[in-house]
Amino acid sequence: MNKLDLFKFFLLLILLMGNSLKAVDFYVSPAGDDRSPGTLSLPFATVEAARDAVRQINQEEMDITVHLRGGSYMLNETLVFDLNDAALPGGRIRYVAYGNETPVLTSLKLVDDWELLSEPLEGMSSESRGKVWVADIDRSLAFKVLYRGGEMLPRAKSEGFLPICAEGSSASDKRLIVPQNIDLRKWANARDVEVMIRPTYPWAYNILPVENVDISTRAVATAIAGTYALNPQPDAYQAVHALDETAWLENAVDFLDSSGEWVLDSRQGKLYLWTEDGKRPKGISYPQTTELILVSGISNEDGTADQVVRGLHFEGITFLGNDRYTWSEQEPSFQHGWSAVDQASAMLRLRCVEGVAVINCRFLKGGSSGIRLDLHAQENRVVGNRFSELGGHGIELCGYGPGTKDVNRMNKISNNRIDHIGQIYLASSGIFVAQSGANYIHNNLIHNVPYIAITLSGARSFNYQNPARGEGYRSIRWHEFSERNKKMLQETYARGVENTDFFLSYLHSRDNLIERNEIFAAVEVLGDGNAIYLSGAGTGNRIRGNYIHHILSDGISTAMRPDDLQEQTIFEQNIIYKCVFGAVETKHQNDYINNIFANIYPTNIHGLLWGDSAYLIYGRGPNTGSRVQNNIFYSDLVADGAPRFIHARGNSPLDDSIIDRNIFWSEVNPAYAENQLQALQNAGHDLNGIAADPQFTGIGTTNFSLKPESPALNIGFRPIDVASIGLSRPGKKGWWERISLRREFSRTHII
């Protein structure tokens, strides 16, 4: 042992003795030295060194704190915490920001060796001459995101287009037919070029690497399959969502047509960048890893006993700048390919963990999701964090696929602000839950997201050996099904029957409480989406006391929706205010109790009408035993004086539901409310309902209280406490009004 190691040993011994083996503190600073003992005056330089020091002294009932001083910590590879880093019984291990300082974990590495490209490359436009710079990059690198000063730069992209429809057997999930107005050639870096597409349906989004290009047939073959055939969306979807493009190509020099864009040719080891002023690029960096931190136990794929990491705590840390996750062929995806089982797709990934806390951290400007709680994840807390400008989901909770193994549960997700996520993977959710149950998700603020704010899902097709595209079939753990049950499923599907009662027990996104969350400006890019969405999730979920408002985009279907294979969900005490097309679309047996549905617009921002628009839409039955009770249906819209409050479309009946004690009112056209209630009563529904002014004291963004004499109170409606909804911090109410939404709406549409 040399003198320095001896010094560190005795210093650690003194620390331990002085704290009676109960509490120990280490310190880390970008200005430190890993050869130091990790004290406040002589800190470590890296988190890895602190982690290794913790391993040497970790004992039972020990509280160890690693204080991270302000500044940037460069991670050349994922920082891994494994079973050796778990807190022992009675103990806790914390990695926290020191005082009010801001430690930043990042994988961004500067690119300095730039030269001006003297001659345009093949396919490059003449306008780019003298503006494109090139740097030599290691040929092993294939990063998908580039940064300048910590901000993500746009990758060069073609014009958007609608694919040419391939009919019948020629339709393929790995073959895209490109229209004539898009230039194609056999690019030198063809394997770096990617297809970005919303294939066939408005709820899916894929990024597919190019395998080959056939100029004669204008066909682009992709290396991996899309969720659906690489076709345009049906005319009906294009019309209602005002679509004129659903696909484009990225990462070829042909597409460099404006400043700030870049292209990577990994085959040649060249990085190209068009600078705004023509000057040498500065502050350009690329990510070296997707996962910044991985906390991982050991998964027992075929059994129930995973080995878990316990007791780690991260607080006050900023996660900044990572790469985008790239899908591989045949991943065990959940519904519509929104995520998959055991996917390395987040800045901070907690895999096979219990009792881990992430508090007051920031996840900013990254190419992937923020946090992922993966496989076995129980009694963890994600509280008070900020997720913004991310390429994927804000927070993911993803257990094992449908089967008998149910070990992702009882986590707390609260008081987080999630905004402007899904900037690369457009089908991302603010909070995505698949095969994870009994979680408490409350008081989060979610806004400006390209698709769904909160998703509870899993799989929707159990037709053994006959998978349905995009329905999560590949995630199902068929080895946990008996041969008898597999055969029974085949036989029932062959008869056109979904044996829902049978496979509900395999769906583990059950018994979640989604409470007091505030959501606005959702479904900004994709279509047929919702603020809160459930499908194939399982039973016993409770959606309570949420405030969903100002979702005026063209792609929203309804604010809340229990979709296919979703049963026994309770929606209660929610407020849906100023959203388009609908407040709720219900399918199967679900309950709607004591909600406020107010000012629902039948047209989207383009003035397009969805024929089935209504406040409450019955989408598909049977709905046997569903309850619609004690709700307020209200409109004071001048432009929409005759709202449709309840509507059954297709073959969805009302007769098998219990509809009663609701109050209906239209300020502009009171007779309409009276006529609709009368029609319901003539059909035997809502015999105790009333058509009357509910007498709000002043309906608006933060006020949905009722006057003491409100007739709604006489039929059993219970007032909803708006002040308890959203982020729990002083001065929060009304702040959202100061945020500029991405679109301006006409006065007649939002008053």
Side-chain angles (χ1 to χ4, degrees):
M1 182 179 293
N2 60 39
K3 292 183 178 180
L4 181 60
D5 290 337
L6 188 63
F7 168 70
K8 291 169 66 176
F9 172 78
F10 280 112
L11 187 57
L12 285 173
L13 185 62
I14 292 170
L15 285 170
L16 293 174
M17 293 174 62
N19 288 280
S20 301
L21 295 179
K22 292 296 182 182
V24 175
D25 295 275
F26 289 111
Y27 297 83
V28 187
S29 169
D33 190 327
D34 282 348
R35 296 172 296 179
S36 298
T39 62
L40 180 59
S41 58
L42 294 171
F44 296 125
T46 67
V47 183
E48 294 96 321
R51 176 201 62 190
D52 294 343
V54 170
R55 287 177 175 176
Q56 295 179 33
I57 65 167
N58 189 19
Q59 298 181 25
E60 292 188 6
E61 298 184 0
M62 179 174 284
D63 190 347
I64 303 173
T65 303
V66 176
H67 303 269
L68 305 182
R69 303 297 303 268
S72 294
Y73 296 86
M74 172 66 71
L75 299 176
N76 299 321
E77 58 185 12
T78 300
L79 176 59
V80 178
F81 294 84
D82 58 27
L83 295 174
N84 296 308
D85 303 298
L88 297 178
R92 181 177 61 168
I93 300 174
R94 306 167 64 232
Y95 291 81
V96 304
Y98 176 78
N100 293 321
E101 297 181 8
T102 304
V104 179
L105 300 184
T106 181
S107 71
L108 298 184
K109 184 175 181 178
L110 281 173
V111 181
D112 292 325
D113 186 21
W114 294 97
E115 293 183 359
L116 188 64
L117 190 65
S118 57
E119 295 293 333
L121 302 175
E122 181 184 358
M124 188 177 287
S125 67
S126 58
E127 290 80 9
S128 65
R129 184 183 296 271
K131 300 174 183 177
V132 176
W133 293 76
V134 60
D136 290 326
I137 297 293
D138 191 303
R139 294 185 183 184
S140 66
L141 298 175
F143 50 83
K144 310 300 182 184
V145 189
L146 193 69
Y147 296 80
R148 179 176 56 205
E151 300 284 342
M152 284 189 285
L153 289 170
R155 194 166 62 163
K157 57 187 288 189
S158 72
E159 294 182 18
F161 57 88
L162 290 173
I164 302 299
C165 185
E167 300 292 347
S169 61
S170 62
S172 170
D173 54 12
K174 299 182 76 170
R175 184 171 179 265
L176 171 71
I177 303 177
V178 178
Q180 291 289 338
N181 64 308
I182 302 299
D183 292 333
L184 287 180
R185 66 184 181 88
K186 290 186 177 296
W187 297 288
N189 69 324
R191 296 300 178 92
D192 293 321
V193 179
E194 292 182 306
V195 173
M196 326 294 275
I197 186 169
R198 298 160 65 175
T200 304
Y201 299 111
W203 54 75
Y205 182 77
N206 298 142
I207 301 177
L208 310 174
V210 170
E211 178 74 20
N212 190 28
V213 177
D214 188 331
I215 305 299
S216 62
T217 61
R218 304 202 55 78
V220 175
T222 60
I224 65 175
T227 306
Y228 305 102
L230 307 187
N231 273 343
Q233 295 176 22
D235 292 343
Y237 286 120
Q238 292 184 38
V240 76
H241 297 134
L243 291 174
D244 55 10
E245 60 182 58
T246 58
W248 64 92
L249 303 168
E250 284 192 6
N251 199 38
V253 294
D254 310 50
F255 311 144
L256 278 170
D257 56 12
S258 61
S259 62
E261 292 186 340
W262 62 279
V263 170
L264 175 66
D265 183 341
S266 63
R267 188 177 68 91
Q268 297 292 334
K270 300 290 185 181
L271 175 63
Y272 301 97
L273 175 66
W274 182 330
T275 59
E276 295 178 356
D277 54 10
K279 295 181 180 179
R280 182 181 298 276
K282 294 182 179 179
I284 305 299
S285 56
Y286 66 87
Q288 300 177 87
T289 183
T290 299
E291 296 173 309
L292 297 179
I293 289 182
L294 168 63
V295 181
S296 182
I298 298 175
S299 166
N300 184 356
E301 172 64 27
D302 295 324
T304 58
D306 300 313
Q307 298 180 59
V308 299
V309 177
R310 293 183 172 88
L312 291 182
H313 179 124
F314 301 93
E315 183 172 353
I317 301 170
T318 295
F319 295 77
L320 173 71
N322 71 324
D323 207 356
R324 185 198 85 202
Y325 178 77
T326 301
W327 282 67
S328 59
E329 181 75 341
Q330 297 295 313
E331 289 207 47
S333 62
F334 296 116
Q335 181 188 343
H336 300 333
W338 292 334
S339 189
V341 177
D342 203 14
Q343 199 175 67
S345 60
M347 289 176 142
L348 172 58
R349 187 181 182 206
L350 308 176
R351 181 182 185 273
C352 298
V353 297
E354 291 186 4
V356 172
V358 184
I359 299 175
N360 294 334
C361 292
R362 299 192 301 166
F363 298 82
L364 308 175
K365 304 180 190 303
S368 72
S369 299
I371 292 179
R372 182 178 173 110
L373 281 70
D374 223 353
L375 301 180
H376 185 125
Q378 297 183 21
E379 299 185 31
N380 305 291
R381 293 181 296 146
V382 179
V383 179
N385 304 284
R386 175 73 184 276
F387 301 83
S388 187
E389 298 184 62
L390 300 177
H393 304 279
I395 302 169
E396 297 183 73
L397 293 85
C398 297
Y400 290 92
T404 60
K405 191 166 186 177
D406 180 14
V407 291
N408 195 307
R409 52 192 292 104
M410 297 182 293
N411 302 289
K412 180 178 181 179
I413 312 295
S414 70
N415 213 41
N416 302 285
R417 179 178 171 186
I418 305 170
D419 62 273
H420 299 91
I421 53 86
Q423 297 196 333
I424 298 176
Y425 280 109
L426 298 177
S428 297
S429 298
I431 300 174
F432 179 81
V433 180
Q435 290 296 99
S436 178
N439 301 295
Y440 188 24
I441 300 174
H442 70 96
N443 286 103
N444 299 285
L445 173 64
I446 307 174
H447 63 91
N448 293 101
V449 295
Y451 198 42
I452 299 169
I454 300 177
T455 295
L456 273 66
S457 185
R460 306 200 308 185
S461 173
F462 286 78
N463 191 353
Y464 184 58
Q465 293 186 340
N466 188 23
R469 287 180 184 268
E471 300 296 355
Y473 179 93
R474 288 202 300 268
S475 69
I476 297 173
R477 295 167 61 84
W478 288 111
H479 63 278
E480 295 178 350
F481 289 61
S482 70
E483 292 302 316
R484 177 183 177 184
N485 286 345
K486 292 176 187 176
K487 182 179 179 181
M488 182 270 294
L489 283 167
Q490 285 178 305
E491 292 173 347
T492 55
Y493 271 98
R495 296 195 304 270
V497 177
E498 289 180 338
N499 197 342
T500 307
D501 291 340
F502 172 79
F503 52 72
L504 280 178
S505 62
Y506 298 112
L507 298 174
H508 302 316
S509 292
R510 63 169 73 91
D511 300 324
N512 292 287
L513 176 56
I514 313 297
E515 183 177 45
R516 299 196 303 273
N517 300 283
E518 181 176 4
I519 299 168
F520 68 91
V523 201
E524 289 200 302
V525 181
L526 294 191
D528 196 18
N530 316 89
I532 298 179
Y533 175 87
L534 304 92
S535 187
T539 60
N541 291 295
R542 206 173 192 98
I543 315 301
R544 183 171 68 192
N546 302 282
Y547 178 29
I548 302 171
H549 60 98
H550 290 85
I551 304 182
L552 306 171
S553 56
D554 52 15
I556 185 173
S557 171
T558 55
M560 302 187 301
R561 178 164 53 150
D563 203 3
D564 296 348
L565 304 191
Q566 190 57 45
E567 298 185 7
Q568 302 175 46
T569 311
I570 298 177
F571 297 82
E572 60 182 338
Q573 301 183 56
N574 301 287
I575 300 172
I576 312 299
Y577 178 65
K578 289 189 175 179
C579 298
V580 300
F581 288 164
V584 173
E585 180 181 3
T586 184
K587 297 181 180 180
H588 313 301
Q589 191 274 303
N590 300 285
D591 296 337
Y592 305 89
I593 312 295
N594 210 93
N595 303 283
I596 295 174
F597 304 134
N599 290 357
I600 305 300
Y601 305 93
T603 60
N604 66 13
I605 60 172
H606 303 290
L608 298 172
L609 174 69
W610 180 33
D612 288 312
S613 173
Y615 280 48
L616 174 59
I617 305 163
Y618 277 77
R620 191 176 81 180
N623 310 296
T624 307
S626 294
R627 295 182 297 157
V628 180
Q629 297 174 314
N630 303 106
N631 301 288
I632 295 176
F633 294 83
Y634 175 84
S635 173
D636 64 5
L637 301 176
V638 174
D640 302 307
R644 181 161 58 182
F645 292 126
I646 297 178
H647 167 61
R649 66 183 178 94
N651 297 318
S652 183
L654 297 182
D655 294 342
D656 56 359
S657 294
I658 303 168
I659 304 174
D660 202 14
R661 293 190 176 276
N662 300 288
I663 180 170
F664 304 88
W665 190 245
S666 170
E667 290 283 359
V668 176
N669 190 351
Y672 182 81
E674 296 167 359
N675 293 338
Q676 177 154 313
L677 175 60
Q678 187 63 58
L680 285 170
Q681 292 179 339
N682 290 342
H685 303 297
D686 226 327
L687 299 181
N688 296 294
I690 59 175
D693 185 351
Q695 299 188 34
F696 290 105
T697 59
I699 188 170
T701 56
T702 59
N703 186 9
F704 293 86
S705 60
L706 300 173
K707 296 177 181 178
E709 62 272 21
S710 168
L713 302 175
N714 297 330
I715 62 169
F717 181 85
R718 302 186 307 279
I720 301 171
D721 180 15
V722 181
S724 68
I725 300 172
L727 294 181
S728 301
R729 64 187 184 196
K732 72 181 179 67
K733 283 300 160 191
W735 75 268
W736 74 269
E737 295 175 287
R738 299 190 292 273
I739 295 178
S740 296
L741 301 183
R742 293 181 177 179
R743 301 184 178 96
E744 294 291 334
F745 304 101
S746 67
R747 182 174 178 81
T748 57
H749 197 76
I750 63 172
I751 288 180

